[in-house]
Amino acid sequence: MNIVILLGAPGSGKGTIAVELAKTAGIRHLSSGDLLRGAVKAGTPAGLKAKTFMESGNLVPDELIADMIADTVAADKETQTLLLDGFPRNVAQAEILAKMMADNGITLRCALLLDVPDAVVIRRISGRRVCPACGAGFNVDSMPPKQEGICDACGAALIIRKDDTPETVQHRLDVYAAQTLPLIDYYKQANALVTVDGSHDDLDAKVREALEKIS
Ligand code: ADP
């Protein structure tokens, strides 16, 4: 297995492109946010612990998310390329991941940075709607559901995530700047950073191109 780490601010499009890329055989999308939201919904001990951190836009403790990622990776024998979306989120998590990869013979293909200005990110997040039943994502500007407020996939009423309110979004961007931005230098120094301009719509094609170049 090799890993592609997706780096980018909240709303930079990591999730959207990962879902697209995961339609390709052998590529799997693993989103730390989705894992955590699943645990919260299921009421597991990890989920109960994570809930308040998440609702306030803060990071959950490193070991909590690292253990969930490790369990998922260990159970995965089929995947050739794993797209890690949302993990690592700080340098401590990057070190945990490096050890996990070394222990399991997993290689780092690259850290792919989606570079998007804050103003674009804020606009994208404010349009974001999700389906609480099946997890499908929409955007009122760029990817509206066929019927307003209703999930195309399962017909449930769409919601705005609790951490997508304007105050929490600003806080998440601050957390990103303080905790996650240092990872850009971390992976640059490891010669693993590939940067893609994520402010346009043809993002998926650009990401594929970038991945083809480094495979
Ligand atoms: P976004 O990238 O849009 O902020 P995510 O779905 O990746 O959203 O994450 C939602 C929340 O889940 C984060 O604000 C944080 O509380 C928690 N979270 C996700 N990944 C991590 C991580 N690697 N470390 C700590 N907390 C995380």
Side-chain angles (χ1 to χ4, degrees), residues 25-98:
I27 298 189
R28 176 171 177 210
H29 173 209
L30 180 56
S31 153
S32 57
D34 285 351
L35 266 185
L36 286 163
R37 279 184 289 277
V40 170
K41 202 170 169 192
T44 65
L48 292 177
K49 234 182 180 178
K51 192 169 190 277
T52 39
F53 292 99
M54 293 175 74
E55 286 181 354
S56 58
N58 289 309
L59 297 187
V60 308
D62 294 337
E63 319 73 58
L64 191 154
I65 181 63
D67 287 350
M68 291 176 86
I69 298 278
D71 288 348
T72 315
V73 170
D76 196 337
K77 302 269 178 281
E78 307 293 308
T79 297
Q80 290 157 29
T81 300
L82 183 67
L83 301 168
L84 269 186
D85 165 9
F87 182 88
R89 206 63 156 233
N90 57 30
V91 172
Q93 293 181 11
E95 308 265 337
I96 297 173
L97 176 65

Side-chain angles (χ1 to χ4, degrees), residues 1 6 18 36 38 48 54 83 85 94 96 121 127 147 156 169 185 188 198:
M1 180 194 282
L6 294 170
L36 286 163
L48 292 177
M54 293 175 74
L83 301 168
D85 165 9
I96 297 173
V121 155
Q147 192 186 339
V169 168
D185 266 346
K188 206 183 265 172

